[in-house]
Amino acid sequence: MKRFGFALFFLVAILAQMPCIRAFAGKDLSPNVVRYAPEVLKETFPSPWKIAPDIEDRPWWEACRKRSSSAEKYLKDAKKLLEQGIPAPPSDEEYLLFLSPTGNRKIFEQKYFRLGSALRDSTLAACLTNDPRYVACAEKILLSFCGMRTWVLSAHDRQKTNFDGTFVTMDLGSTLTARNIAAARQLLASRLSPETKQKVDSCIKKFILDPLAATVAGKRNPEWYFGRRTNNWNAVCLNGIVGTLLLTEMDADARAEMLSWCIERSWYFLDSFAPDGYCTEGVGYWAYGYGNYLELALELYLASQSRDKSGQKNGGYLNIALRDKARLPGEYIDNIAISDGNYPAFADCSVKPGECRKHIGLRDILWDRPGKYRAIFNDPPVVSLAAALLFWQIPHQSVSSEVAALPEFSAFPDGGVFLCRPGKTGGVLSAAFKGGSNHEQHNHSDVGNYVLAVGETQVVDDAGAPVYTRQTFGPERYRNRIINSFGHSVPLIGGELQINGAKTNAKVLCTHNTPRKTVIKLDLREGYPAELQIRELTREFRYTRGEGEHFTVEDFGRFAEPQTFETAVITFGKCEKQDNGTLLLTYKGRNLAVKIDTFGAAYIVSAEPIREAIRRKGTANRISIRLTEPSAASRVRLTFRPVK
């Protein structure tokens, strides 16, 4: 009898855990528009959602501290706040620096985000330790935010309307800041003064709820990112807005109406991807945009599983990560990888493999499929306050190595991007190359660009994103030599750079792919000024895997009048000329030999560092191969081979 009782107890215990273990296996109900109807959402979210137990739930927070090493990181940083004092909020003068001739946005943003990190650290430290000093610290920071003219980033306030108080914008900064502040207020509500809570509520109402309510009611024009064919702004801002709505005490009908309006418009972020899932903004902005879309999905999913006081479910699962249209954008990061954690820095890109792995893991959890990065969330990385609280709610993930190997060849036909990998041949050379166009989100003038990796190291590279200033997104954008075609491994014809805008597409003339070899031939004419009178301009990429692996780039141009012709190779390494006439590119211990063939034409090789401020470490060097005489027809072939 005892044995039966123990077995029954064990079975009940297992069944009790099943909702947690299978938490992300719910059926996708989100494509059904009825799920977005205000009356349904009111039943699902009748009151503010508790993103985590508040500070009074000591057992929960003590258990959280024991199981998470990231909790100690937050505590370590919070201790510095007690020792050094809380950071000062940015001043009005620092806010206006963006409008100065230098267009400096860095000083304001550093102070702004440092204040947000301080709010995160002090709030979590207060909950993890129950130390009133951290509560006092968090309260001071909340009051600092409440004392700011606006929560909008200065770079998004070019007309000073937010600074002057004549208009309120909901931007990348204000929406996520509001979500974090709403989370801090909820966790510490029992310890904050009534005055502080009133000020916080007033600011959230002023900066988010009032403008959103007016937009939903048709009393003001929607922000541009609420429309179709947008970019990362849609997902990022909606993540902040929806999170704020879920966490804030307000009229239930108003919350449901605004949630319905916002969730429906989250479709538009998915429209910003090419039909094949290609993200023209690059890997860094995929992590930012799709990462925020996944956070939005997670908070809606967790909130829709919450229970009322009687223990009854409020409405059921809502998992917008399972939308059919989210699948290819979600798989983009797998298909764009040169190797595991190694990506080309096309567009305004800052590639951080750790960030990508986090989002890959969250994607696989929400999709309920195996993945080796799911276990990251057993001890989540350091993130924003609201994201930390979301990630701590994810059930324990078993460690899994079940992940498909990267294929030898990947293609984004709509994006015009191709990747070749050595596969199981034992080779080390990988390539990513593109046609595309110069009319893309966060565009660089890079039609025909390519990167080459030896093992995990990109020896022929793309510098990625510059340091942003006011000029970065203005009429002077393409004066930056990291953004224009000078800073990419593409031809320079008649001394002219590539042009930008519509009708700059590279046309794919030939695609040939076998287990041994891949050949892609592009027509690049539309990417250059019509005044050059280019009759023919092709670039052919040939990748050969296996024994004798190599990569060849061959350019051919015909012109109505003789033109100078130059091609370039971008590297962060060094370039040395060898006795046999080849070039040797070396970066981080990896080498590529470059054989140059100009078919009898004389040429000059020169190297020049590109002196532009970029986000990554190091300096990009432009290796130029220039024909010495203008010609009506030019042909240049570069053959790259890895060498030990």
Side-chain angles (χ1 to χ4, degrees):
M1 188 69 182
K2 282 185 177 180
R3 185 174 298 174
F4 174 79
F6 176 79
L8 181 62
F9 171 81
F10 183 76
L11 177 62
V12 170
I14 290 294
L15 292 174
Q17 292 299 314
M18 286 299 289
C20 179
I21 294 171
R22 300 294 296 167
F24 293 89
K27 182 181 178 183
D28 177 20
L29 300 175
S30 59
N32 184 348
V33 294
V34 174
R35 293 285 296 155
Y36 306 142
E39 57 270 22
V40 176
L41 292 177
K42 183 180 178 182
E43 293 180 5
T44 307
F45 310 110
S47 58
W49 169 55
K50 291 189 68 173
I51 192 171
D54 62 35
I55 191 173
E56 304 303 338
D57 191 338
R58 300 315 311 152
W60 192 89
W61 283 102
E62 288 163 9
C64 185
R65 183 174 181 178
K66 290 178 181 178
R67 73 173 184 265
S68 174
S69 62
S70 61
E72 295 304 316
K73 172 65 170 63
Y74 297 125
L75 289 172
K76 180 180 177 181
D77 290 342
K79 186 178 179 182
K80 293 179 183 177
L81 296 175
L82 297 182
E83 297 169 349
Q84 302 171 8
I86 64 173
S91 66
D92 288 352
E93 291 75 19
E94 290 163 338
Y95 189 92
L96 296 174
L97 279 175
F98 181 72
L99 299 177
S100 69
T102 63
N104 189 308
R105 59 189 283 179
K106 189 174 182 179
I107 294 175
F108 168 82
E109 290 183 2
Q110 283 180 336
K111 285 196 168 184
Y112 181 88
F113 293 125
R114 191 178 298 130
L115 196 64
S117 296
L119 177 63
R120 173 199 66 197
D121 297 336
S122 57
T123 300
L124 292 177
C127 293
L128 289 165
T129 66
N130 203 26
D131 188 330
R133 294 179 300 168
Y134 291 123
V135 176
C137 186
E139 187 159 18
K140 289 179 182 178
I141 297 170
L142 286 171
L143 291 173
S144 289
F145 273 111
C146 291
M148 294 175 65
R149 287 174 178 257
T150 175
W151 292 344
V152 169
L153 299 180
S154 61
H156 306 149
D157 193 19
R158 290 174 178 263
Q159 305 303 317
K160 287 184 22 180
T161 53
N162 290 276
F163 181 84
D164 293 334
T166 58
F167 189 79
V168 177
T169 305
M170 293 176 286
D171 83 324
L172 302 172
S174 66
T175 54
L176 291 179
T177 293
R179 182 179 72 148
N180 289 326
I181 287 175
R185 187 220 186 279
Q186 188 183 85
L187 293 177
L188 304 178
S190 62
R191 309 288 181 88
L192 298 175
S193 70
E195 294 77 16
T196 297
K197 288 187 284 189
Q198 188 277 324
K199 288 182 179 180
V200 167
D201 293 344
S202 178
C203 284
I204 290 175
K205 186 174 184 295
K206 175 183 177 181
F207 294 140
I208 302 296
L209 301 184
D210 284 350
L212 180 62
T215 301
V216 173
K219 296 179 180 178
R220 74 174 234 171
N221 292 329
E223 306 283 4
W224 63 270
Y225 56 79
F226 282 130
R228 293 186 180 275
R229 298 295 302 176
T230 62
N231 58 12
N232 64 82
W233 276 61
N234 177 280
V236 177
C237 294
L238 282 177
N239 184 24
I241 291 170
V242 169
T244 303
L245 289 172
L246 290 172
L247 298 174
T248 302
E249 186 72 54
M250 59 188 300
D251 178 77
D253 289 308
R255 178 191 293 108
E257 187 74 30
M258 289 189 278
L259 280 174
S260 174
W261 194 89
C262 289
I263 296 171
E264 180 61 30
R265 278 153 184 80
S266 64
W267 281 103
Y268 300 157
F269 168 66
L270 303 175
D271 286 339
S272 67
F273 291 82
D276 57 15
Y278 184 69
C279 178
T280 66
E281 294 185 284
V283 171
Y285 276 104
W286 177 89
Y288 185 46
Y290 200 83
N292 270 276
Y293 182 82
L294 292 172
E295 275 190 33
L296 170 62
L298 179 62
E299 63 194 356
L300 285 169
Y301 187 88
L302 293 175
S304 65
Q305 292 186 90
S306 62
R307 300 174 183 272
D308 61 24
K309 292 180 180 179
S310 67
Q312 297 299 308
K313 285 268 294 97
N314 293 329
Y317 304 118
L318 181 64
N319 190 346
I320 64 172
L322 290 174
R323 289 167 165 167
D324 287 342
K325 203 167 187 177
R327 184 180 63 84
L328 286 176
E331 292 175 346
Y332 159 84
I333 196 63
D334 303 323
N335 296 322
I336 197 65
I338 297 174
S339 57
D340 187 20
N342 185 11
Y343 309 98
F346 296 149
D348 273 354
C349 192
S350 180
V351 177
K352 298 179 180 178
E355 283 290 298
C356 294
R357 288 168 185 158
K358 173 182 68 179
H359 301 311
I360 293 169
L362 181 55
R363 176 203 65 187
D364 291 341
I365 290 171
L366 286 165
W367 285 3
D368 191 40
R369 75 175 193 179
K372 64 179 179 179
Y373 297 126
R374 291 176 60 141
I376 286 175
F377 295 93
N378 293 339
D379 189 12
V382 174
V383 286
S384 70
L385 173 59
L389 298 169
L390 287 172
F391 294 167
W392 278 343
Q393 309 299 316
I394 293 176
H396 182 84
Q397 302 292 310
S398 60
V399 178
S400 171
S401 60
E402 295 181 53
V403 60
L406 292 172
E408 292 181 343
F409 176 72
S410 296
F412 294 93
D414 299 301
V417 175
F418 308 88
L419 291 100
C420 295
R421 310 174 185 91
K424 297 179 180 180
T425 64
V428 295
L429 181 65
S430 302
F433 45 98
K434 70 185 297 293
S437 80
N438 290 335
H439 188 58
E440 300 174 332
Q441 298 284 358
H442 287 271
N443 179 69
H444 283 206
S445 306
D446 63 350
V447 170
N449 192 31
Y450 61 97
V451 301
L452 298 175
V454 181
E456 303 297 318
T457 302
Q458 293 184 33
V459 181
V460 176
D461 215 333
D462 187 309
V467 172
Y468 286 170
T469 67
R470 181 163 54 90
Q471 288 75 26
T472 306
F473 298 104
E476 299 178 355
R477 175 177 176 83
Y478 292 101
R479 292 181 62 181
N480 188 305
R481 297 204 299 176
I482 289 296
I483 297 176
N484 66 35
S485 63
F486 185 87
H488 298 85
S489 299
V490 297
L492 187 69
I493 301 172
E496 296 291 333
L497 300 170
Q498 290 186 1
I499 59 174
N500 306 288
K503 297 182 179 180
T504 56
N505 295 67
K507 293 182 174 63
V508 179
L509 302 177
C510 169
T511 302
H512 176 72
N513 188 53
T514 68
R516 169 72 170 160
K517 182 179 291 185
T518 297
V519 179
I520 306 290
K521 189 173 184 178
L522 305 175
D523 179 351
L524 304 184
R525 281 179 297 176
E526 291 189 349
Y528 289 85
E531 300 79 54
L532 291 173
Q533 295 183 294
I534 300 175
R535 290 178 174 171
E536 185 176 356
L537 181 61
T538 61
R539 168 162 278 195
E540 184 175 271
F541 298 103
R542 292 194 293 273
Y543 174 87
T544 302
R545 63 177 56 84
E547 185 177 354
E549 62 179 339
H550 63 277
F551 182 76
T552 300
V553 182
E554 183 170 325
D555 297 322
F556 175 72
R558 287 194 309 112
F559 317 103
E561 299 290 338
Q563 298 287 356
T564 59
F565 190 92
E566 175 181 340
T567 191
V569 177
I570 305 299
T571 181
F572 279 80
K574 63 181 181 178
C575 176
E576 296 179 346
K577 189 171 183 179
Q578 305 298 291
D579 293 339
N580 61 1
T582 64
L583 305 179
L584 183 66
L585 305 179
T586 302
Y587 184 56
K588 293 186 176 180
R590 293 290 195 168
N591 304 300
L592 274 177
V594 188
K595 180 182 177 182
I596 304 170
D597 189 351
T598 59
F599 299 87
Y603 65 93
I604 298 173
V605 176
S606 60
E608 177 183 355
I610 304 176
R611 303 294 187 187
E612 300 280 3
I614 58 177
R615 295 190 190 180
R616 62 180 284 183
K617 293 181 180 179
T619 301
N621 299 300
R622 184 178 187 270
I623 313 303
S624 165
I625 299 96
R626 179 169 58 86
L627 304 187
T628 57
E629 298 294 332
S631 175
S634 300
R635 186 187 298 271
V636 177
R637 179 191 295 157
L638 304 180
T639 302
F640 300 83
R641 297 180 186 274
V643 294
K644 293 182 179 180

